[in-house]
Amino acid sequence: MPGFDLRAALRHRELLLAAAIAVLLGAIAARFPGFVAPANLFGVFNDSAILIVMALGQAAVILTRSIDLSVAANVALTGMVVALLDAHHPGLPLALLIGVALLQGLGLGAINGWFVWKVGIPPIVVTLGTLTIYRGLAFVLSGGAWINSFQFSQSFLALPRAVVLGLPVLSWIAVAVVAVMAVVFGRSPVGRAWYAVGGNPTAAVYAGIDAGRARFLAFCLSGLLSGLCGYLWVSRYAVAYVDVASGFELDVIAACVIGGVSIAGGIGTVWGTLLGALFLGIIKNALPVIAVSPFAQMAISGAVIIAAVTLNTRAERKAGRIILRPVAGLPGRADRAPARATP
């Protein structure tokens, strides 16, 4: 009987992850049947909507062998700016505020991308620095004060909660972003460039792809979606303060990794990222229900991330490339095993 081939199985990562989600839901339902009620599952999806949107932006960055640690700080700063605008100028149209959030998020992402592309600073260093800068700017703008629900206009708070065809607008925004990203990743030149740059940067350059520009555009996308989530976060939770989404960048990266996006670049899909975010969202919603302590929740989440990285690494490991073969007719050569070199 042939042995189990892990790498072959992990080629169908989305199917395995969907099966893992089904098993997880079944285990939870055995103890709390109400958790898998359709209304509750829709609620879990709505709770995971912001994570899904941000994870798709992060996935584009990771595909290019980069990482964006500033996404949560982008959310905090952008959310603070639109919250201050709405609180002090309640007559401003909601469309204008959302436009400000998108443009500011795009600008913050472009700053990261410019330093990576034009200055040549490693992405982890750039985004670790801008993470601190963006948080600091949020404090400077607000003076450390909170903006609470009674200071917001009703239109500002209403949009994410409005229900259309049985789902909140927040959920529909996540669905729309998934649909758009499926086209961008799979059928657009920039999506193909991200995969090429992450898979083999040297070959991508020979193919005429500007690797720096591709990374810059990935950071711009990540910033744009983070800016959108800045408005969504503040309006949904009806509060803005400096530490909004603190540490959330780790959840965003975890969703990508669990969904099969390779930290080494060049591997990952929109659907895998979506499932990774949902898997993480289910865990975070289910663990409090079964009375798991917050500290144990952190340990479980960390264990899941390590397991996902381990599986990704094993699946991506390539066999050595044969560079020497036995030559027939030469004495002493026929019985030698071919030498192998790692790629």
Side-chain angles (χ1 to χ4, degrees):
M1 180 179 179
F4 177 72
D5 189 343
L6 177 63
R7 283 182 291 178
L10 288 177
R11 293 191 190 105
H12 306 286
R13 180 61 176 264
E14 290 82 2
L15 294 177
L16 289 177
L17 190 51
I21 291 174
V23 170
L24 177 62
L25 289 174
I28 298 168
R31 186 170 179 182
F32 296 97
F35 189 86
V36 295
N40 189 68
L41 291 180
F42 285 138
V44 171
F45 181 84
N46 195 59
D47 289 342
S48 305
I50 290 177
L51 177 60
I52 291 169
V53 173
M54 293 179 66
L56 289 171
Q58 185 75 247
V61 174
I62 296 176
L63 279 177
T64 65
R65 298 191 179 187
S66 302
I67 198 162
D68 188 352
L69 299 178
S70 70
V71 288
N74 188 329
V75 168
L77 178 54
T78 303
M80 181 61 72
V81 168
V82 295
L84 288 170
L85 286 173
D86 185 68
H88 294 289
H89 306 281
L92 289 177
L94 180 60
L96 175 62
L97 294 175
I98 295 175
V100 168
L102 290 170
L103 288 175
Q104 180 178 319
L106 175 63
L108 297 178
I111 290 172
N112 291 332
W114 184 84
F115 276 105
V116 172
W117 179 18
K118 295 297 185 180
V119 184
I121 304 175
I124 192 170
V125 176
V126 170
T127 56
L128 188 60
T130 54
L131 180 159
T132 307
I133 294 171
Y134 297 163
R135 289 278 179 194
L137 288 175
F139 181 86
V140 170
L141 289 174
S142 65
W146 289 36
I147 301 176
N148 297 300
S149 58
F150 64 87
Q151 297 173 268
F152 293 109
S153 65
Q154 287 303 310
S155 61
F156 185 89
L157 299 176
L159 180 62
R161 299 175 178 82
V163 177
V164 177
L165 299 177
L167 283 178
V169 169
L170 178 59
S171 293
W172 285 117
I173 290 173
V175 170
V177 171
V178 169
V180 171
M181 290 301 101
V183 175
V184 172
F185 276 53
R187 298 183 179 276
S188 71
V190 67
R192 290 191 290 270
W194 291 336
Y195 282 103
V197 169
N200 191 325
T202 303
V205 171
Y206 280 116
I209 296 173
D210 188 332
R213 180 176 178 274
R215 291 192 178 97
F216 173 78
L217 293 176
F219 276 104
C220 287
L221 175 65
S222 178
L224 178 73
L225 295 180
S226 296
L228 172 62
C229 290
Y231 161 72
L232 294 174
W233 189 296
V234 169
S235 61
R236 187 186 183 217
Y237 297 107
V239 64
Y241 56 100
V242 173
D243 289 330
V244 157
S246 180
F248 197 67
E249 63 273 1
L250 301 180
D251 289 342
V252 173
I253 296 169
C256 295
V257 172
I258 293 170
V261 181
S262 173
I263 293 296
I267 298 174
T269 65
V270 169
W271 308 114
T273 304
L274 169 63
L275 291 172
L278 289 176
F279 184 85
L280 202 59
I282 291 169
I283 288 179
K284 289 185 174 293
N285 277 271
L287 291 181
V289 172
I290 58 179
V292 176
S293 74
F295 300 103
Q297 292 177 35
M298 294 172 63
I300 292 171
S301 298
V304 169
I305 295 170
I306 292 173
V309 172
T310 302
L311 290 174
N312 288 349
T313 302
R314 290 182 63 86
E316 294 157 17
R317 188 175 298 159
K318 300 177 182 178
R321 178 169 53 90
I322 297 175
I323 60 174
L324 294 175
R325 297 180 182 276
V327 179
L330 292 180
R333 298 284 183 179
D335 58 346
R336 291 188 182 181
R340 290 180 180 267
T342 56

